[in-house]
Amino acid sequence: MAALGWLWWKRNPRLACEWAAVLAALASVVVLSKIAYKAFGVDWRTIGFFTVSGHSALAAALYPLLCYALMAGAKPPVRRAAVAFGGTIAVAIAVSRVLSHRHTPVEIVTGLAVGLAVAWLMLRRWHGALGIPVRSMPVVLGTAMVAVLAVYLLPNVPAERVLSHIAWRIRS
C-alpha cells in the first residue's frame, strides 16, 4: 500500500492523498468496530458479528487496485480480469480467516464489503491515473518481496493485544 501511494505521489499527489484518506477511513472502521466490541461488548451475536475483519477489508482494498495498476495499460477485458483476480486473492485471504477460526463468515463479508467499497471508489474516481509505469515495476516487486520477508523475519506485532489493552483502558 505504501509503495502504491509513493508511486502515485510522484505522478499525482492528489491521488496519493485520497488513497491515504480512504485507507485511514477503512482502518478507522476496523479499529472502531474492534474497540466497540472489546470495550463495550457491542456485537450482533444472533448473526455472528463481533468485529469487522481487518485482513479481509485491507485485502479487498489493496489487491484489486494493485492488479489494476499493474495492468492499467492493457485492454479493458484484461484490466477487468486483473481486478477480478485481485478480488479473488482478497476472497481467499478472507476465507482463510474463517478457516483459521479468527472471524465468522459475517465478519469477513463485512470486511470484504468495506474494502471493496474503497477499491471501487478509487477505481471509479481515478481509473485513468492508477497505472504504474513499467519502469516502476521493480519498486512494486521489490516492495512485495520485502513485505513477504518481513512477515517471516520480523516479530509478530500483537495488534489485537494492543487493541485489547486500549479497550481495557477505556473501560476502566
Side-chain angles (χ1 to χ4, degrees):
M1 289 183 182
L4 282 177
W6 178 74
L7 289 169
W8 289 335
W9 178 265
K10 288 175 61 177
R11 296 178 62 223
N12 190 333
R14 189 169 173 208
L15 163 63
C17 287
E18 188 169 312
W19 173 237
V22 295
L23 285 180
L26 173 71
S28 296
V29 167
V30 172
V31 169
L32 289 174
S33 78
K34 291 182 183 291
I35 295 291
Y37 173 65
K38 292 174 183 291
F40 306 110
V42 175
D43 63 44
W44 289 283
R45 284 185 199 280
T46 55
I47 61 170
F49 180 82
F50 302 92
T51 67
V52 175
S53 169
H55 283 81
S56 301
L58 289 172
L62 174 65
Y63 289 110
L65 281 177
L66 177 61
C67 291
Y68 180 89
L70 293 171
M71 294 294 156
K75 294 182 188 266
V78 174
R79 289 192 311 253
R80 283 191 293 274
V83 170
F85 180 70
T88 302
I89 293 170
V91 168
I93 290 169
V95 168
S96 78
R97 305 307 291 167
V98 171
L99 296 177
S100 64
H101 305 287
R102 303 278 189 220
H103 285 286
T104 65
V106 173
E107 292 170 329
I108 66 148
V109 168
T110 305
L112 285 171
V114 172
L116 289 174
V118 166
W120 178 83
L121 173 71
M122 292 299 291
L123 283 168
R124 182 96 170 127
R125 190 158 155 73
W126 291 101
H127 67 89
L130 292 176
I132 297 173
V134 174
R135 68 182 184 283
S136 298
M137 292 302 172
V139 172
V140 174
L141 295 175
T143 303
M145 289 169 50
V146 167
V148 168
L149 282 173
V151 167
Y152 292 104
L153 299 178
L154 295 177
N156 189 10
V157 178
E160 287 293 326
R161 216 170 339 153
V162 169
L163 290 173
S164 293
H165 181 73
I166 292 169
W168 175 78
R169 299 288 289 198
I170 290 170
R171 269 196 318 262
S172 54

